[in-house]
């Protein structure tokens, strides 16, 4: 049995649950090695019975999933889910409250109420397991990071015909998909000139200002995401841009130096934020320092000023300090870091 | 005020609601002309006060949304949403039960309970408005359909270097994105040879069998989707394939002939299904005949054997009969059709 599934079962037993219903497509992909047609539910019983409920259209694909009993239905899937929970003789079942629409919850809950089964929310049960990566997962993330770095080389070296943000983002995504999965980790941000001051800018019809443009991109490889940001310059970099760039770069170095098993997320954030504050730019760095990366591009742990949790060996996180000067430009430098027992490894070095 | 928003307000008043909370990103995009950073909520009061709650990171983008008061917050957005509903003096508010995760519902519900505000599920309130397209929406869908047809021409004419399903799907998506929005309507299906027998096949590493391959693709243009399927052949088409192709083509013609304002969805489905049944292939056509297309690639109305609702002028639907012969091949032909008062117009003709 997959390690992820064993950890999930251990957690179910620890919480004295009889069954756990999984509705998040990413958690389904994580537990089944199955990314396609994740339109459905997993049901895991405390005695390790495994069910995958899906639409009948996906049946042929779903049959590829080993060790899961596939229940492919036309129409009302909720009745079958609730019916199976009852058939297991479950008294206590749990669900994923962040990942089930109210209406689906209600339909299942009503059937379970009638059968006298308690139905509890269990927050982040699988997400916490996902935060610590296995060796196999780390190898996929390394490969995904490598592809993403190659795409950055492609941008800096190729004689690109792309002349707008949108055209460049399309060429980048084509590159990432040819080398990785059919889909990218997230829509590629190409933010040219003043647009670089918006952390979530959407690549638009602005012509690329080669003086300064920011690219935030990520491949997926065997479902595992990468997430990197680089700022590109052409010609002489102005003193004001250079100054901000150096502050952000130094802030990133200071944070990375703090990362190891046991370090608090808030302390890692503070190393970068404290330095940016000291330089007088604290209010231009509005978001957290970083986040976990895996099957989801944003997942546990979140590295920010308020998360007091400790990092653990095997976590993979981004470190992305930034300074956004609205109306002028923004600098964000984002790398992927593997937490190790005595320090860390920058996967995107 | 946008027509969509007026229709939404009329519905809110008809249901005697004081406020309606919208959490579906597509409904948010529909009402606001805003597709970016749809990470948030809209709140519409019966006296036409309009609020857009979002994460502070999206504030600069959100400010582009006219007529909505933007409330951009760090952290707990639910408190602000509930607080605003109370501030409006609402006694009856509604939410979208298909589109709000249980946990978010619960947080808002608890605050509203404490304030004595009733909080009701309202299913498909906006979706039903979306089903009937305005002239402007139809023009976007026409353009999106045109781009999608051009991509099909590109596949049949270009000397493609793509040799696998995946490579071809990547080149198609690049083409669609260069001419349309930054994103496509759905992941492009390229199903070669036997893979064409799976309606939801995911483009993989199979080499393209030029004898027979199926492509299901769609552009987005100004947020509006297209959805077309064609089967490509090279060389002589075998008698058995030709026979199935002709049945599917004829079934499509029979259904399209039934489409007009007032026709029941089930009757349109029956025209194709009855013919395929008569030819002895009924059990190889497992899914519905079609679906509405708009901001979502699958939306109301659904054209199947059980939907007794009548089609209305201004609806845009797909007509996609199919026969899937597992282990051999599948034929699906999908076109986009605009429902008119006395008949219909095949947008993809």
């Amino acid at each position: 049995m997959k390690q992820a599934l064993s950890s999930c079962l251990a957690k179910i037993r620890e919480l004295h649950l009889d069954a756990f219903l999984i509705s998040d497509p990413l958690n389904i992909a994580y537990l089944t090695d199955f990314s396609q047609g994740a339109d459905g539910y997993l049901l895991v019983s405390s005695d390790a019975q495994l069910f995958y409920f899906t639409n009948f259209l996906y049946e042929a694909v779903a049959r590829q999933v080993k060790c899961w009993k596939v229940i492919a239905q036309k129409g009302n899937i909720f009745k079958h889910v609730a019916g199976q929970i009852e058939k297991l003789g479950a008294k206590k079942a749990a669900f994923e409250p962040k990942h089930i629409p109210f209406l689906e919850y209600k339909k299942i809950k009503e059937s379970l109420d009638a059968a006298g089964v308690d139905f509890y929310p269990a927050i982040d049960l699988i997400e916490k397991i996902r935060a610590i990566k296995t060796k196999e997962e780390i190898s996929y993330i390394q490969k995904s990071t490598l592809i993403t770095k190659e795409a950055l080389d492609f941008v800096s070296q190729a004689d690109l015909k792309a002349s707008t943000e949108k055209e460049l983002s399309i060429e980048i995504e084509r590159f990432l998909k040819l080398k990785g999965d059919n889909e990218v980790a997230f829509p590629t941000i190409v933010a040219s000139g003043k647009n670089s001051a918006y952390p979530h800018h959407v690549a638009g019809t602005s012509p690329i200002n080669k003086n300064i443009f920011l690219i935030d991109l990520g491949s997926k490889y065997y479902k595992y995401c990468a997430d990197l940001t680089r700022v590109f310059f052409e010609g002489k970099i102005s003193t004001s841009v250079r100054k901000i760039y150096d502050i952000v770069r130094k802030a990133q170095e200071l944070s990375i130096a703090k990362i190891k098993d046991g370090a608090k997320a808030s302390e890692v954030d503070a190393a970068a934020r404290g330095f940016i504050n000291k330089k007088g730019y604290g209010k231009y760095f509005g978001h957290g320092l970083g986040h976990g990366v895996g099957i989801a591009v944003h997942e546990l742990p979140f590295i920010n000023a308020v998360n007091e949790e400790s990092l653990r060996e095997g976590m993979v996180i981004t470190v992305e300090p930034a300074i956004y000067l609205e109306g002028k430009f923004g600098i964000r430098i984002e790398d992927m870091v593997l937490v190790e027992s005595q320090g860390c490894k920058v996967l995107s070095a």
Side-chain angles (χ1 to χ4, degrees), chain A:
Chain A
M1 182 177 291
K2 271 192 75 169
Q3 191 175 325
L5 204 47
S6 309
S7 304
C8 172
L9 266 171
K11 197 72 200 169
I12 288 170
R13 289 165 187 162
E14 186 190 319
L15 295 171
H16 304 290
L17 296 169
D18 301 314
F20 183 44
L21 182 68
I22 297 154
S23 47
D24 177 27
L26 294 174
N27 286 339
I28 293 174
Y30 177 66
L31 292 176
T32 57
D33 272 334
F34 181 57
S35 64
Q36 304 163 9
D39 174 21
Y41 292 97
L42 296 182
L43 181 67
V44 180
S45 76
S46 58
D47 60 348
Q49 293 187 66
L50 307 173
F51 303 90
Y52 176 39
F53 298 85
T54 190
N55 186 285
F56 78 104
L57 282 175
Y58 294 111
E59 186 172 20
V61 190
R63 262 187 266 136
Q64 298 160 12
V65 181
K66 288 163 202 120
C67 55
W68 295 82
K69 183 171 179 206
V70 174
I71 300 172
Q73 292 295 340
K74 247 181 181 168
N76 194 337
I77 204 173
F78 313 112
K79 223 169 44 189
H80 297 282
V81 170
Q84 190 60 58
I85 294 174
E86 291 166 37
K87 242 188 264 173
L88 288 169
K91 289 285 151 219
K92 276 183 74 170
F95 65 96
E96 298 190 296
K98 289 184 180 174
H99 304 295
I100 190 167
F102 174 78
L103 191 65
E104 297 182 16
Y105 158 80
K106 189 165 163 271
K107 286 180 177 173
I108 297 169
K109 167 83 171 150
E110 282 170 358
S111 292
L112 292 180
D113 276 352
V117 182
D118 287 332
F119 200 40
Y120 295 93
I123 293 180
D124 290 343
L125 190 153
I126 309 281
E127 286 84 339
K128 282 178 184 163
I129 299 169
R130 270 168 46 191
I132 315 260
K133 271 71 184 175
T134 63
K135 278 192 182 148
E136 193 187 356
E137 289 180 290
I138 291 167
S139 74
Y140 295 143
I141 294 173
Q142 268 178 318
K143 176 72 178 164
S144 190
T145 305
L146 183 67
I147 292 169
T148 307
K149 283 181 64 184
E150 287 172 357
L152 288 163
D153 291 343
F154 161 75
V155 171
S156 56
Q157 289 165 11
D159 178 24
L160 291 172
K161 282 176 192 142
S163 64
T164 65
E165 292 176 346
K166 181 185 159 183
E167 285 167 4
L168 182 55
S169 76
I170 291 169
E171 298 308 334
I172 290 170
E173 293 189 3
R174 173 178 178 273
F175 184 98
L176 294 172
K177 291 195 280 189
L178 282 170
K179 300 221 166 191
D181 290 353
N182 283 17
E183 54 180 18
V184 294
F186 56 92
T188 302
I189 296 173
V190 178
S192 175
K194 289 179 184 178
N195 294 338
S196 58
Y198 300 108
H200 283 211
H201 178 68
V202 174
T205 52
S206 307
I208 294 162
N209 174 347
K210 289 196 175 167
N211 243 357
I212 178 168
F213 61 100
L214 178 151
I215 297 182
D216 188 345
L217 79 174
S219 145
K220 268 195 191 180
Y221 182 79
Y222 199 68
K223 297 186 288 195
Y224 283 83
C225 299
D227 185 3
L228 298 180
T229 305
R230 294 287 182 267
V231 185
F232 288 76
F233 307 99
E234 203 174 86
K236 197 171 148 44
I237 301 171
S238 74
T239 322
S240 57
V241 171
R242 167 58 69 186
K243 180 183 155 196
I244 299 298
Y245 189 91
D246 289 343
I247 293 169
V248 174
R249 170 57 76 194
K250 180 71 182 171
Q252 196 197 39
E253 276 173 31
L254 292 168
S255 276
I256 289 173
K258 291 277 179 196
I259 296 173
K260 62 174 184 178
D261 185 275
K264 280 188 184 174
S266 58
E267 288 169 3
V268 173
D269 180 275
R273 198 171 303 280
F275 182 73
I276 292 173
N277 278 340
K278 204 175 73 181
K279 293 290 178 180
Y281 292 94
K283 69 172 173 169
Y284 305 106
F285 175 32
H287 56 69
L289 182 71
H291 52 82
V293 183
I295 279 193
V297 66
H298 298 125
E299 61 179 40
L300 297 178
F302 290 95
I303 317 299
N304 55 40
V306 296
N307 185 3
E308 296 293 308
E309 282 171 280
S310 295
L311 300 181
R312 289 290 160 224
E313 190 177 353
M315 287 178 166
V316 175
I317 59 174
T318 66
V319 181
E320 47 179 313
I323 294 175
Y324 304 106
L325 302 175
E326 204 177 326
K328 295 179 183 167
F329 64 90
I331 302 288
R332 177 169 71 256
I333 306 171
E334 178 180 28
D335 280 277
M336 304 255 301
V337 176
L338 170 65
V339 181
E340 296 183 323
S341 63
Q342 301 299 320
C344 68
K345 182 179 171 189
V346 180
L347 298 177
S348 46

